Amino acid sequence: MSRKLFKFKGGVHLSEHKAESNARPLHAAPLPGKLVIPLRQHIGNPAKPVVEVGERVLKGQMIGAADGYISAAVHASSSGIVTAIGPAAVPHISGLPDLCITIETDGRDEWIAHAPLDYQAMAAADLRMKLRDMGIAGLGGAVFPSAVKLDPGAAHSCPTLIINGGECEPWITCDDMLMRNRAGEILQGVAVMRHLLGSTEILVGIEDNKPEAIAAMQAAAQSLDFAVEVVAVPAIYPAGGAKQMIETLTGKQVPSGKLSTDIGIQVFNVGTAYALACAVHHGEPLISRLVTVTGHVLRPQNFEVLIGTPMHTLITLAGERDDSTGALMGGPMMGMPMPDLEVPVVKATNCILVKSNALFPPLPKALPCIRCTRCADVCPAELQPQELFRFAKTGDFGRAQEYHLFDCIECGCCSYVCPSHIPLVDFYRYAKSEIWAREKEKRAADLARERHEFREFRLAREKKEKAEKLAAKAQAARTQAGLDQAKRAELPAAPAPELATAPSDADAKKALIAAALARAQAKKAEVAPKNTDHLLPATQREIEEIEARRAKIHELARQPLESEEKKP
Amino acid sequence: MLTAILVMVVLAVTVGLVLGWSAVRFKVEGNPLAEKIDAILPQTQCGQCGFPGCRPYAEAIAKGEADINQCPPGGEEGIKKLAELLGVEPKPLDEAHGAPKPKSVAFIDEQLCIGCTLCIQACPVDAISGAAKQMHTIIAAECTGCELCVAPCPVDCIAMVPIAEDLPHWKWKYPVIELKRVA
């Protein structure tokens, strides 16, 4: 190798245990009777189910659509009937169920119509959306939707593209086997990545303990129309970490809190490149991957497994042995213990490591930290693990963040070398998830504060509006009352003038009542006879005369009756 | 002598002008201490502290009218943070104001709801949707779990449901490690 390599700080030399599983040829795992496909297999929003219970689905049919930008679709790994959409056991350390689609396979393995993509003719954004809909996500472990990573963003290009074939964790050999058997396809995927990212330098980093893989990749790289440099990197854990691989190959460090793209480098796992090639050149979505089944089994080996296959099926295929003490998903350094072996293989499942007490004796009891700083010596992220441990243990999360807790890649080197056998990484994971939870709580509190303040504002506004409405009404009533008063003043006899003139004070209610009273009085006054008051003496005399005449007529009217009475 | 006095007077006037101008220019609206306290409070708006919401409680603390241990939803941690901010000794939660409970959201039994809107009026964060004689429902994402809607309900159809742990809300637990006996 002519390329000058760099060394990252720390790291540990581990016994590889690769030979157990990479000696046997690659096999396709048989089609299981039941596939359980979780909708949350990637980082970001879980996919939204787009099929219904009882529906027949074909192999490669989208059953969960990507929800948002940072998301990826999920697909039926084989043809069959959807029997359930609901919570089911998933490969997560907590053992909590999550939304899954269960498919009863029909054994016909019937593909949905699919065709290769002419990626060079497609617009970059359309191609990325297509890849998102084909469920392509990083198969190195983080399962980040690849479509997002394939967007060079504002920079318009990413000069360096690194294909990570490090596979530094002991026991795991799925990337090794993929490179040995499918080097050509991996590089086809790399061509698509190069097309999307506009990269000019393409490096494939492979640990030097995989000479067959290096040879296969170099041979495949010869036939390409662009330059791909296959570089053997020293085997030291965690050389396969993205940031460590970048440093080894380029000597550049990704600054804290930044992305590798900020320094013009993008890293993809070899498995992702292969999945991308399948999607583009065959139109096949991500429905299978290579899985190493190793550890305490009879025939450790690699399988090509359909997503959704129960892990136990694979362990049985590899030859289950007695006295196993559970299984890890992933390797011994970063793998997660599985709560149950019936959980399905997902996009993130690179290895199923069956444990036994002989292979993985239980951790000795812990001793207090003696501050020997061996953890700091091996930390590849150049952190102070002993300080982080202290802060995480005492719940001083603010200080932990000041000490760059979030730069920890959870590689497990510190726990591995700790002479006191303290599970340091568990403390960092605890601290990280506490910080995230607090962050979430803080956001919820901010939302509640905002909503409460808006409610207070709304209530005050409603009160003010009501008062204004009332005042306007009172004003109208006052003007009306004023008019009435004026009208009454024109009339000769305006009764109750003291009431009509009373409402000149500001009190709206009083004014209203007064106005109402005034109106009532006015009505009453209209009904009452008014033409007999304040008359001229002449008229008065006339009226009196009329009254006298009336009385006389009344008198006369009574008289004939009297005469009649007298007649007889 | 006169020059010295003149210099001092000019200096005093200049400094006074600058100070006066900055007092107007950089005037701080509201009480910044109350803001800081309010940022620590959990914004449940439950009123268990004896004040009508978190903001009035924060203002009362800032004025020294209320103690820091009256907020059950904030719990011990909230008290610790308040003590740190105010430079006082943390103290245990005042039991008179209630005990901390697991975080819950209200749930309306829609079979029983008569649509009286009393809970809507009680909700401090407008997290209940509904109208008169229409069934009401809780907007779970907005509910702070203050329980203020429970008491006004005339048909007792509101229950507080503790938030169940699911994958997105799952947290790594504090590692329990067995220590080796050395002595």
Side-chain angles (χ1 to χ4, degrees), chain A residues 253-273:
Chain A
Q253 282 193 343
V254 181
S256 173
K258 292 260 173 98
L259 299 170
S260 65
T261 42
D262 296 335
I263 55 169
I265 301 170
Q266 189 60 286
V267 185
F268 284 98
N269 179 262
V270 286
T272 317

Side-chain angles (χ1 to χ4, degrees), chain A residues 40 92-94 98 365-367 393 423 429-430 433-434 437-438 440 445 447-449 451-452 455 458, chain B residues 38-39 43 45 77 120-121 123-126 142 144 167-168 170-172 174-175 177-180 182:
Chain A
R40 190 198 307 273
H92 190 270
I93 184 170
S94 67
D98 200 19
K365 285 176 183 173
L367 285 162
K393 204 171 98 177
R429 285 172 174 156
Y430 155 73
S433 73
E434 277 299 322
R438 265 151 225 230
K440 242 187 228 173
L447 179 75
R449 182 187 295 115
R451 286 180 74 86
H452 181 64
R455 181 187 148 88
R458 177 172 64 78
Chain B
D38 194 37
Q43 304 303 318
Q45 317 292 356
E77 212 186 299
I120 295 180
Q121 290 161 38
C123 180
V125 290
D126 285 334
E142 318 282 10
T144 63
L167 268 191
W170 179 81
K171 287 197 288 190
W172 282 87
Y174 186 85
I177 49 172
E178 218 178 325
L179 283 175
K180 192 174 168 182
V182 281

Side-chain angles (χ1 to χ4, degrees), chain A residues 292-308:
Chain A
T292 309
V293 184
T294 185
H296 188 63
V297 287
L298 291 170
R299 298 173 297 278
Q301 59 185 301
N302 282 278
F303 294 108
E304 184 161 20
V305 184
L306 294 175
I307 305 291

